[in-house]
Amino acid sequence: MLAEIATIPLQFDAPFAGELFLLGRLLFGATLAFMGLNHFMDLETMAGYAEFKGLPAPRFSVIASGLVLVLGGLGVAAGAFPVLAAGALAAFLLVSAVTMHDFWSVDDPEEKQSEMTSFLKNVYGAGAALALLAVGGTAWPYAAGLGLF
């Protein structure tokens, strides 16, 4: 018989826990928001790459993904709509890892390594977004406090 697993509410009462959580949110969210801005600053190149990867409506896909990254990143950083922001980022990062960075289908060793690095970056980013999603319904320290839940 398995022992019952009890969940403990998320607490930020350890020394500097709130400040470290804020710093983590700022680093994660701001980095993703900056990556989203790059979608707009280098739209034609990214749309060409999306077309090469076989995405339908490549230009629209780059714009939409840029919006997800910018708004999701800012949402996480500010603590605004954290469930929506973290959930959108997790979904985008997982989907883009598989569709855009399919290293297993690349023959050139250098290109394969580059795609694998991007794939792994998206996977660990999705992991972080899922962790934030898991605590998205709780009160975050130093957060805007806007949310759906």
Side-chain angles (χ1 to χ4, degrees):
M1 170 153 284
L2 294 175
E4 183 177 326
I5 298 174
T7 58
I8 299 171
L10 184 65
Q11 297 177 352
F12 291 100
D13 54 2
F16 302 108
E19 291 78 7
L20 290 172
F21 189 70
L22 172 62
L23 180 60
R25 285 182 10 230
L26 290 172
L27 291 171
F28 181 70
T31 299
L32 290 174
F34 179 75
M35 289 170 59
L37 286 177
N38 283 336
H39 281 61
F40 300 107
M41 294 187 298
D42 199 12
L43 180 60
E44 295 309 316
T45 302
M46 290 192 155
Y49 186 68
E51 184 175 22
F52 169 74
K53 287 293 189 169
L55 258 66
R59 186 177 170 85
F60 173 78
S61 296
V62 171
I63 292 170
S65 62
L67 282 172
V68 168
L69 287 167
V70 169
L71 295 176
L74 291 175
V76 164
F81 302 99
V83 171
L84 185 61
L89 289 170
F92 166 73
L93 290 166
L94 287 172
V95 169
S96 66
V98 175
T99 58
M100 298 301 292
H101 305 298
D102 53 345
F103 66 91
W104 53 89
S105 67
V106 177
D107 293 325
D108 177 58
E110 287 183 29
E111 187 180 341
K112 183 182 213 95
Q113 182 61 51
S114 177
E115 290 294 355
M116 183 186 294
T117 299
S118 294
F119 174 86
L120 293 172
K121 174 194 69 164
N122 280 20
V123 170
Y124 77 70
L130 287 171
L132 289 169
L133 178 59
V135 298
T138 63
W140 288 4
Y142 306 105
L146 301 171
L148 301 174
F149 307 100

